[in-house]
Amino acid sequence: VALIQWIAAISIIKSNNINNKNINSNSISSSSSSSSSNVITSKLPIESLNESESNVKEMSNIDSHHLTSNCPREIEATKLATTLVTQTTLDRLILLKETCLRWTSPIVATVYITTQELSIQTWENISRHYSEQCHHMKLIPHVAINTRERNEAYPINQLRNEALDAVNTSHAFLVDADFIPSVDLDKGIEKTFRLMNGTLDLDRRALVVPAYERTIEALPCQDLQECVALTKKNPEFIPRSMQSLYQCVHDNYTNSAEIEAKGEDVWLYQSRCIVFHSDRYFLGHGDTNSDEWLRNMNQKEVRTIPCINEGYEPYVVIPWCPNAQVNHGTLHSQQTPAKEHVQTDRWAPLSPYYDERFHGYGKNK
């Protein structure tokens, strides 16, 4: 199902700047077997990560994954809310400051940090700096194994799982740190849950959040720091409202003098918003049918996505900690065997963790 709000990318990294060493279109992926040149994988044997097998969450030990979860043991104590879950490197952590302004529900982020970075500033100082500005965000440090790991075996799924372990709300919104949510997206998600109340198989349904990005050609910023500064100067750099998003997608002003006369930034009208990666890898978000969603949005209807194709990798809100409304005992259709829903621990997360054998950029879900 698609939501009535969205996220937009602040990332300005061009695809030809990605280190594509070890591109392997035949690598096994839990999300797609597509061999698109824009879906890149860089994987090493799991032994190279120096992790013991018992500590790695993978399919063979899936029955014990939930034991590290922070979900309340009494499901009645679980709050019906959504935690934004992400992972980031220290140099991109600054992006979460804007996210904190727009998302007021809990945020959990695992921060990948090197020993060299820790020699410059302590984790206590880093954590204190962000907690003072964003009281509802929890940062979890993850220290790199060695200097090669970030480029050759970035442990993205381990980072995601460490953040998921800290979630104690009914739902989790899994998103990359480069994306900034629309204002009050968390409240929009809550309203959507209420629309879906009483739906069968509610503990197996994911909400898709449409994702957009600005075209890079006309932007007056060329690196992360410049774009962050631009966002502070003009918050509409990443559209805040539905009206702003619609204008960014559809409007194409050519009269620069008229725009300047209004005291507005010309680039804001010359750069357009497009569905994320639709110009490079359409399959990634194609089945969301975002253009149709934007044209015919109905705030009282939750739209069903009837079919998905290989390569589809949307950003989703998933059920996580069981609560009184959404739990392992949620009503299911008669066609679904009840034994599939029996869990050893009723407080166990409702959705699976990531497989930590996958790492690097792309094909890791």
Side-chain angles (χ1 to χ4, degrees):
V1 291
L3 284 174
I4 58 175
Q5 288 175 285
W6 67 94
I7 49 177
I10 196 172
S11 174
I12 61 168
I13 298 177
K14 299 181 181 179
S15 59
N16 59 3
N17 286 338
I18 298 173
N19 177 6
N20 58 6
K21 183 173 62 175
N22 295 332
I23 295 179
N24 179 5
S25 61
N26 296 317
S27 293
I28 297 175
S29 168
S30 59
S31 61
S32 170
S33 60
S34 170
S35 58
S36 166
S37 61
N38 290 312
V39 181
I40 298 173
T41 180
S42 175
K43 297 177 172 62
L44 297 177
I46 194 66
E47 290 79 12
S48 67
L49 298 180
N50 296 326
E51 293 278 3
S52 66
E53 186 175 341
S54 61
N55 292 332
V56 176
K57 286 184 170 70
E58 56 175 287
M59 293 302 296
S60 64
N61 57 17
I62 192 171
D63 291 339
S64 63
H65 291 182
H66 69 285
L67 297 178
T68 54
S69 169
N70 195 41
C71 285
R73 273 35 180 178
E74 296 297 327
I75 66 173
E76 291 76 12
T78 299
K79 182 181 179 182
L80 182 61
T82 300
T83 298
L84 188 149
V85 177
T86 191
Q87 55 76 34
T88 181
T89 52
L90 182 61
D91 57 318
R92 305 185 78 80
L93 182 58
I94 190 174
L95 292 170
L96 292 181
K97 290 186 176 182
E98 181 64 23
T99 295
C100 278
L101 296 175
R102 301 186 181 199
W103 180 282
T104 57
S105 296
I107 299 172
V108 177
T110 306
V111 183
Y112 183 84
I113 189 168
T114 65
T115 53
Q116 181 180 7
E117 289 170 328
L118 285 175
S119 68
I120 299 173
Q121 53 185 328
T122 66
W123 174 253
E124 288 73 17
N125 289 338
I126 296 170
S127 180
R128 186 184 308 111
H129 171 75
Y130 281 89
S131 63
E132 290 174 352
Q133 300 183 47
C134 186
H135 301 292
H136 55 287
M137 181 170 67
K138 179 177 183 179
L139 299 181
I140 302 170
H142 180 105
V143 181
I145 293 176
N146 53 48
T147 56
R148 294 175 53 237
E149 185 185 44
R150 177 169 178 173
N151 292 327
E152 299 181 3
Y154 183 71
I156 187 168
N157 282 354
Q158 184 179 356
L159 302 178
R160 288 165 168 163
N161 286 343
E162 288 172 1
L164 281 171
D165 269 341
V167 174
N168 59 12
T169 56
S170 63
H171 291 77
F173 176 34
L174 306 159
V175 67
D176 292 336
D178 290 347
F179 284 83
I180 309 297
S182 58
V183 173
D184 293 335
L185 171 60
D186 50 340
K187 295 180 177 62
I189 292 172
E190 183 177 345
K191 291 179 181 178
T192 303
F193 291 151
R194 301 192 186 286
L195 286 175
M196 297 173 63
N197 189 29
T199 303
L200 291 178
D201 301 330
L202 195 56
D203 63 334
R204 290 191 169 192
R205 293 179 179 262
L207 302 180
V208 173
V209 181
Y212 288 81
E213 65 179 327
R214 273 198 182 272
T215 53
I216 190 173
E217 290 81 4
L219 294 184
C221 63
Q222 294 301 318
D223 60 35
L224 182 64
Q225 297 297 328
E226 288 183 1
C227 285
V228 169
L230 188 60
T231 303
K232 292 181 179 179
K233 176 183 177 183
N234 192 331
E236 292 299 339
F237 171 53
I238 301 296
R240 293 168 53 84
S241 66
M242 178 60 69
Q243 180 181 3
S244 297
L245 176 66
Y246 189 91
Q247 290 177 343
C248 187
V249 171
H250 294 289
D251 291 349
N252 186 17
Y253 292 91
T254 57
N255 191 333
S256 300
E258 181 180 340
I259 297 172
E260 291 175 344
K262 295 180 180 180
E264 300 182 10
D265 293 322
V266 174
W267 64 265
L268 199 59
Y269 294 91
Q270 291 178 337
S271 64
R272 293 180 58 248
C273 291
I274 62 174
V275 175
F276 182 64
H277 275 185
S278 58
D279 58 341
R280 285 180 264 171
Y281 185 61
F282 179 79
L283 291 176
H285 294 267
D287 289 325
T288 304
N289 199 1
S290 300
D291 290 337
E292 171 67 18
W293 165 83
L294 189 58
R295 284 194 303 267
N296 301 310
M297 185 198 65
N298 185 339
Q299 295 193 22
K300 296 183 179 181
E301 179 184 11
V302 181
R303 183 164 61 89
T304 299
I305 299 175
C307 183
I308 61 175
N309 295 288
E310 286 189 357
Y312 188 47
E313 289 191 316
Y315 293 102
V316 295
V317 180
I318 58 174
W320 196 250
C321 294
N323 71 352
Q325 289 76 37
V326 184
N327 54 63
H328 296 291
T330 301
L331 290 176
H332 294 275
S333 60
Q334 295 181 353
Q335 291 77 19
T336 307
K339 64 180 181 180
E340 293 186 12
H341 311 293
V342 176
Q343 296 285 332
T344 303
D345 298 300
R346 65 193 298 256
W347 54 265
L350 293 162
S351 299
Y353 283 86
Y354 289 90
D355 192 319
E356 295 178 4
R357 292 173 298 174
F358 296 99
H359 45 86
Y361 178 85
K363 292 187 178 181
N364 50 42
K365 300 181 180 68

